[in-house]
Amino acid sequence: MAPIAFLAKSRQLVRLQKFKSISTFVHLHQEAVLEEPTPPPPPPLPPNPASGSPRYNENWRSPASASSAGDAALIPVGLGFLQQTHAARMQLLSQSLDVQSLMNQFADWMTSQRWEDMKQLFEFWIRSQDVNGKPNKPDVNLYNHYLRANLMIGASVGELLDLVAKMDDYGILPNTASYNLVLKAMQKAGETLAAEKLIERMLQTGKEDKESLPDDESFDLVIGMLLSTNQIDSALKYIDLTLKSGYMLSMKAFEDCVQRCVSNVRLDTLVSIIERCKKMDQNKSLCPPWRVCQYIADVAMQSDNSALTYYALEFMAKWIARGEVARPPVLLSVDEGLVVSALGTAGRTYNSRLLDGSWAVLKRSLRQKKFPNPESYLGKIYAHANLGNLQKAFSTLHEFERDYGNSNQEDEEDLFSPFYSLNPLVMACSMNGFATLDSVYYQLENLSQANPPYKSVAALNCIILGCANIRDLDRAYQTFNAIDATFGLTPNVHSYNALICSFGKLSKIDEAVKVFEHFVGLGLKPNATTYSLLIDAHLIKRDPKAALSVLDEMPELQLKLVEQIFEGYEPSKEMLKKIRRRCIREMDYESDDKVESLARKFNIKLGTEIRRNLLFNLQYTTDYA
């Protein structure tokens, strides 16, 4: 029996693959038994990374495409608690948060910009209940976070307005921040009219609820939208409301306002806005960027707006002061050409405040390292002369002579010429006739005896030419003699030119020529102004008694004077045109041909004077009177 049992037990070692043995015992009692159900197969092992599985190939061999596969495919089927969806987790999280915890969660998610999660969590939370079994009720700040999430996701203006309207269902009122979020959406969509209506609604509801009144951000958003569509009048209305409400005008809104006011030629409006800002403590520190200050100054000077020019220079002065106290210091300087233009604007508009401010900015920019340029001094003299402040004008002339009186510049002779650079001072001296001229002369005489004395040939030359302008030859001659006799100075070429002008305006040609011959004999070299004055003296002579004896000789004398200019001076176009005009009117065609040859020699195009000749040849009649 034992061998049989051994063989029976060993059968399984040699049995065929499909042979099924019920029992190895012959006398075993057998009963029918139902087959038990087959248990489910265990979860499969993860595939071999080397077997070419798409998931492992993507995550291991191609990491760049790992994000395209869903994370749920890696979760085993048997772990049901890990198969929860994202929405289920949000719903579960919403049931465990109160208002403050939800606010903290939102604050955390805002830093990572999880706007979709914020929106979904709030919507689950609002449908959940608190620990007391009551529905969750948000406050206005929490609801504003929900509005912000919708705004950042890209919700339309209509959707945001609907969400604001639903705030009433929760017993809360929208505040300024709520409306500002809607205004931002309107700004993105370019709905300017809707934004204007919304801020008007805020102003109306703000009479009952102060929490919904517009703030500086509200006004800034609406102002920006209106300026972007060139609705400058409406924008100025809300700028005015901003300032009346005591808010600070933002720098961006101010720059946009400057651009629009300039493009629409509303410079006076811009001045009023700046003045109102300067009166308020919140806006006293308003200072546009340096480039904007320069732009304002350029546009203001082109329009001769002295007030706006002054404010632009004042802004620049603030930047210079800030740069000097900065660490490390930033040394800013205003371009001197801009200051010269500002001085000219001050003179044309008679604005003494702009004059003083321009000069102060220039001195601050130079920092005592160099003298102002001659053009700056001349601009200041021009402004003081136009303002009628002769005392300050001559004081500026004294500073000008002190800095540049002994310079070796090529144009030094023209710097102190009463005919060109100092002519505004001459015109101011002769404005009220001999009274002003005598007053200036006596002041100069008193200053010459002061300690230290002030003596200036340039100042006396201005008086001589002023006397010539009012045709007062006696005062001109007396002042010329006083240069040497009273002041102890030596007349220069400008002094003699002024005296020649005095004689020439009274048609005293012989005396003018004698003055010319006198100072040439003294060794002084005449300049182009000398010859021009002599030619003008002949041209303006209208004495009928001397016509027969002098007119025939005038063209020859004029040409003789012009030929003397060739020694070192080139005749001007205007000079030759004057001579040609006289030659034609006197029918001296030979001299006219000589003028034409001189013009060709110096490459001067005289042109024609058809229109002038038409006026000269008009035949006046009383037939149509």
Side-chain angles (χ1 to χ4, degrees):
M1 190 67 183
I4 297 174
F6 175 78
L7 291 174
K9 291 180 180 179
S10 61
R11 272 181 210 166
Q12 298 204 10
L13 299 175
V14 296
R15 72 184 177 187
L16 298 176
Q17 190 173 12
K18 294 184 179 180
F19 177 82
K20 185 174 182 182
S21 174
I22 297 177
S23 175
T24 58
F25 297 95
V26 184
H27 303 286
L28 181 63
H29 179 72
Q30 299 181 3
E31 294 181 0
V33 180
L34 294 176
E35 184 178 1
E36 295 180 1
T38 305
L45 291 173
N48 186 355
S51 62
S53 170
R55 174 159 300 280
Y56 277 91
N57 184 46
E58 292 173 357
N59 288 273
W60 176 49
R61 295 176 178 171
S62 301
S65 60
S67 59
S68 61
D71 293 336
L74 293 177
I75 301 176
V77 178
L79 301 179
F81 68 94
L82 292 179
Q83 290 182 324
Q84 295 179 351
T85 63
H86 183 70
R89 290 198 297 271
M90 285 294 175
Q91 185 177 8
L92 183 62
L93 178 62
S94 66
Q95 296 172 359
S96 61
L97 296 175
D98 56 6
V99 174
Q100 189 60 41
S101 302
L102 187 59
M103 286 282 290
N104 295 335
Q105 185 66 50
F106 282 172
D108 184 31
W109 284 355
M110 284 176 65
T111 57
S112 56
Q113 299 184 358
R114 297 175 61 179
W115 308 113
E116 289 281 359
D117 292 344
M118 289 176 61
K119 177 178 180 297
Q120 191 175 23
L121 180 59
F122 180 86
E123 291 172 352
F124 279 123
W125 182 84
I126 203 67
R127 294 193 295 265
S128 303
Q129 296 178 349
D130 58 10
V131 293
N132 298 322
K134 297 180 179 180
N136 286 322
K137 182 180 179 181
D139 59 9
V140 65
N141 295 324
L142 182 60
Y143 201 89
N144 286 341
H145 282 299
Y146 176 59
L147 289 176
R148 182 177 295 277
N150 282 272
L151 172 65
M152 300 306 293
I153 290 171
S156 65
V157 176
E159 292 172 348
L160 286 177
L161 288 174
D162 292 340
L163 293 177
V164 171
K166 288 182 180 179
M167 296 176 72
D168 190 43
D169 299 341
Y170 305 109
I172 55 178
L173 295 175
N175 59 8
T176 305
S178 308
Y179 289 122
N180 286 349
L181 293 171
V182 181
L183 286 173
K184 290 180 179 179
M186 292 178 176
Q187 185 185 39
K188 290 183 179 179
E191 298 185 10
T192 306
L193 182 60
E196 197 171 355
K197 291 181 179 179
L198 179 58
I199 199 169
E200 290 294 337
R201 174 185 171 186
M202 294 171 66
L203 291 170
Q204 291 296 327
T205 57
K207 296 178 181 179
E208 300 177 358
D209 182 16
K210 300 296 183 182
E211 296 295 327
S212 61
L213 277 173
D215 59 1
D216 53 349
E217 185 181 9
S218 309
F219 287 119
D220 186 57
L221 289 169
V222 176
I223 291 170
M225 282 187 280
L226 291 171
L227 289 176
S228 65
T229 56
N230 206 26
Q231 300 182 38
I232 187 169
D233 291 323
S234 299
L236 293 176
K237 169 187 171 182
Y238 291 108
I239 289 175
D240 189 59
L241 285 174
T242 304
L243 299 177
K244 284 183 178 179
S245 303
Y247 295 120
M248 183 173 180
L249 191 63
S250 68
M251 191 60 60
K252 183 179 183 303
F254 181 73
E255 290 186 29
D256 292 342
C257 181
V258 169
Q259 297 285 345
R260 296 300 174 181
C261 287
V262 169
S263 61
N264 291 274
V265 197
R266 302 286 292 273
L267 302 183
D268 293 334
T269 304
L270 181 58
V271 170
S272 65
I273 292 174
I274 295 175
E275 289 176 347
R276 294 200 60 182
C277 290
K278 289 172 65 66
K279 293 179 181 178
M280 302 179 62
D281 295 335
Q282 297 89 339
N283 294 283
K284 279 185 177 180
S285 59
L286 178 66
C287 188
W290 181 267
R291 59 174 181 81
V292 178
C293 296
Q294 291 180 326
Y295 177 67
I296 295 174
D298 289 337
V299 173
M301 288 185 293
Q302 290 176 10
S303 302
D304 276 345
N305 192 311
S306 57
L308 188 57
T309 305
Y310 175 79
Y311 288 132
L313 292 175
E314 188 179 38
F315 290 143
M316 292 183 180
K318 288 182 180 180
W319 279 111
I320 293 174
R322 292 178 184 177
E324 290 175 350
V325 299
R327 293 293 179 270
V330 180
L331 302 180
L332 297 173
S333 298
V334 178
D335 183 71
E336 194 164 355
L338 187 144
V339 175
V340 173
S341 299
L343 291 171
T345 302
R348 290 189 298 272
T349 58
Y350 310 100
N351 192 316
S352 58
R353 185 178 67 162
L354 176 58
L355 170 58
D356 297 335
S358 302
W359 195 254
V361 169
L362 177 61
K363 301 292 283 187
R364 188 75 175 267
S365 299
L366 297 177
R367 298 180 177 85
Q368 299 181 352
K369 293 183 178 180
K370 63 184 292 291
F371 298 131
N373 287 328
E375 292 79 9
S376 301
Y377 279 116
L378 295 177
K380 188 179 180 183
I381 292 173
Y382 165 77
H384 280 308
N386 279 14
L387 288 168
N389 196 335
L390 294 178
Q391 184 175 0
K392 290 186 176 180
F394 280 101
S395 176
T396 305
L397 176 60
H398 175 53
E399 296 177 6
F400 186 26
E401 289 181 302
R402 180 195 60 198
D403 294 340
Y404 291 95
N406 298 322
S407 63
N408 296 322
Q409 296 184 4
E410 296 179 359
D411 56 347
E412 176 188 355
E413 199 174 77
D414 293 333
L415 289 180
F416 302 99
S417 171
F419 296 92
Y420 301 107
S421 57
L422 300 181
N423 191 254
L425 190 55
V426 174
M427 300 301 295
C429 290
S430 58
M431 184 67 68
N432 297 324
F434 64 88
T436 306
L437 291 167
D438 289 346
S439 174
V440 173
Y441 175 80
Y442 290 132
Q443 289 183 15
L444 291 176
E445 191 174 15
N446 293 332
L447 289 174
S448 66
Q449 300 173 1
N451 187 18
Y454 169 60
K455 300 178 181 181
S456 172
V457 178
L460 293 170
N461 292 341
C462 292
I463 297 177
I464 297 173
L465 188 56
C467 294
N469 289 341
I470 64 172
R471 269 69 171 178
D472 194 335
L473 181 59
D474 293 337
R475 278 187 168 81
Y477 205 87
Q478 290 176 7
T479 306
F480 177 81
N481 289 332
I483 294 177
D484 182 21
T486 305
F487 293 89
L489 301 173
T490 303
N492 57 17
V493 65
H494 301 302
S495 308
Y496 288 103
N497 287 344
L499 190 58
I500 291 174
C501 182
S502 301
F503 284 113
K505 287 193 174 183
L506 295 177
S507 301
K508 296 182 178 293
I509 301 175
D510 295 337
E511 289 81 354
V513 174
K514 288 180 180 180
V515 173
F516 170 74
E517 294 174 349
H518 172 72
F519 82 82
V520 170
L522 292 176
L524 287 177
K525 183 179 179 181
N527 55 17
T529 304
T530 308
Y531 298 109
S532 179
L533 290 170
L534 289 172
I535 292 174
D536 290 341
H538 287 83
L539 293 176
I540 65 175
K541 182 172 178 61
R542 310 297 296 172
D543 189 355
K545 294 181 179 180
L548 294 175
S549 59
V550 178
L551 283 180
D552 292 338
E553 301 177 359
M554 279 180 60
E556 298 178 1
L557 293 174
Q558 294 162 8
L559 288 174
K560 181 179 179 181
L561 290 172
V562 171
E563 290 173 358
Q564 294 182 18
I565 300 176
F566 302 161
E567 298 178 359
Y569 301 96
E570 181 178 328
S572 65
K573 179 179 179 179
E574 187 63 27
M575 182 187 299
L576 293 179
K577 289 181 72 173
K578 287 180 180 179
I579 300 174
R580 186 184 68 172
R581 192 177 305 129
R582 174 57 62 189
C583 293
I584 292 175
R585 291 177 183 177
E586 302 302 330
M587 298 182 184
D588 190 343
Y589 300 111
E590 182 180 355
S591 299
D592 181 45
D593 294 338
K594 293 181 180 179
V595 174
E596 293 289 347
S597 64
L598 290 174
R600 289 192 296 270
K601 180 177 180 180
F602 290 99
N603 197 20
I604 298 175
K605 297 181 179 180
L606 296 179
T608 60
E609 295 185 349
I610 297 176
R611 299 181 66 182
R612 185 187 290 268
N613 292 333
L614 288 174
L615 295 175
F616 181 75
N617 295 324
L618 282 178
Q619 299 294 328
Y620 296 96
T621 179
T622 59
D623 294 343
Y624 300 98

